Amino acid sequence: MIQGGLVGCPERIGAVNLFDVPSEAHTAAVDAAITSRRSMRAFLPTPVPRETVEAILRVASRAPSGTNIQPWQVHVLTGAAKERLCDRILAIYEDPDELARHEREYEYYPKEWVSPYLDRRRKVGWDLYGLLGIAKTDKAGMHAQHGRNFRFFDAPVGLIFSIDRRMQMGSWLDYGMFLQNLMVAARARGLHTCPQAAFIQFHRVIAEELAFQPGQMLVCGMALGYADPASVENSLETERAPVAEFTRFLED
């Protein structure tokens, strides 16, 4: 947990006066849950109890959404259900001819990369591969590392998120806030996550395997569990631009 867990944790939020000025300890605990969130790429096999997952999702559902439409749908995978999906996707991923038949339903990244976004993307990629000892010419090593996405990096819980495809950009903004809430609530319980856009290439397989309701569209996946502290890839800490670089204060 983050220093013994969040002060005024969400399970007790009903007993908290929401108009009180938060204590320094409360502020520090919330900040710690946010700033300690990182994408982990190696997990321990330690199970996560269902009630813990439910508690995290209950907290995450307090995310704001336009006119309270709450556009998120969550599919929680553990055990054999998770293994079946992973096996199906990996079988495709390792077959170049079959892989070529699977296209992303939507583009997560821009079609044209420009600075500073391209610079940041390259840096995080080479920082990760450097930790793993994967050289720039090692295409097989990169392929294998990317393929670990489709085992949810061995996390005991895999999450798949979907949305009604009739929803518009506003609902996708709402969804992002829900996902962030989920990741922060996980940190408050000593858990880690890795949000995964890699799954979107396999949206047809996932919709079939998980029996999506008609009209549901894949958003992304996410690994959830206890991070392996001995895995070198989990030591990666990405940089953030200073506030002055992305903020304008207009006062006059």
Side-chain angles (χ1 to χ4, degrees):
M1 283 192 181
I2 304 299
Q3 297 296 317
L6 279 171
V7 178
C9 67
E11 285 82 353
R12 299 197 303 273
I13 198 68
V16 175
N17 185 338
L18 299 181
F19 298 99
D20 283 346
V21 175
S23 67
E24 290 185 6
H26 193 168
T27 300
V30 173
D31 286 355
I34 294 170
T35 58
S36 67
R37 186 218 62 80
R38 295 197 309 228
S39 292
M40 294 294 167
R41 295 175 175 85
F43 289 84
L44 299 171
T46 309
V48 178
R50 175 170 174 165
E51 55 267 29
T52 299
V53 178
E54 290 179 344
I56 290 170
L57 292 171
R58 187 163 53 248
V59 172
S61 73
R62 297 306 307 176
S65 62
T67 62
N68 199 34
I69 59 176
Q70 305 172 60
W72 36 81
Q73 291 290 322
V74 186
H75 314 262
V76 182
L77 300 169
T78 59
K82 180 169 72 74
E83 292 306 307
R84 281 194 304 271
L85 179 64
C86 292
D87 288 345
R88 283 193 65 180
I89 293 175
L90 279 167
I92 297 168
Y93 182 71
E94 297 300 342
D95 182 339
D97 292 334
E98 182 63 24
L99 182 61
R101 299 187 182 98
H102 293 262
E103 297 182 353
R104 298 177 184 88
E105 189 167 28
Y106 71 91
E107 291 298 328
Y108 183 90
Y109 292 111
K111 293 181 179 179
E112 180 182 354
W113 286 94
V114 297
S115 183
Y117 316 114
L118 178 60
D119 308 313
R120 293 169 181 168
R121 185 188 193 197
R122 284 175 172 167
K123 177 171 173 47
V124 72
W126 294 126
D127 285 351
L128 175 60
Y129 290 145
L131 287 171
L132 294 168
I134 300 173
K136 292 184 178 182
T137 56
D138 185 1
K139 302 302 183 184
M142 295 179 192
H143 180 80
Q145 175 60 26
H146 184 70
R148 296 195 64 246
N149 274 282
F150 309 122
R151 288 282 180 205
F152 293 98
F153 297 109
D154 298 320
V157 180
L159 303 171
I160 294 290
F161 303 95
S162 64
I163 188 171
D164 188 317
R165 65 177 61 253
R166 292 170 294 190
M167 297 296 100
Q168 296 296 320
M169 188 178 293
S171 290
W172 285 73
L173 292 173
D174 299 341
Y175 219 123
M177 291 184 275
F178 170 79
L179 294 173
Q180 175 72 358
N181 270 7
L182 191 162
M183 292 184 280
V184 171
R187 286 303 301 126
R189 292 159 176 79
L191 294 159
H192 270 289
T193 54
C194 185
Q196 298 168 275
F199 282 102
I200 63 178
Q201 184 173 3
F202 304 102
H203 59 95
R204 289 188 286 112
V205 174
I206 292 171
E208 179 183 328
E209 182 68 29
L210 304 189
F212 276 12
Q213 293 296 311
Q216 284 291 303
M217 175 181 178
L218 177 66
V219 174
C220 66
M222 184 181 293
L224 171 68
Y226 294 96
D228 183 353
S231 293
V232 67
E233 56 264 52
N234 286 343
S235 67
L236 177 66
E237 186 168 358
T238 55
E239 297 176 356
R240 291 296 186 269
V243 171
E245 188 173 318
F246 60 82
T247 308
R248 296 173 63 212
F249 290 93
L250 308 176
E251 299 177 350
D252 295 322

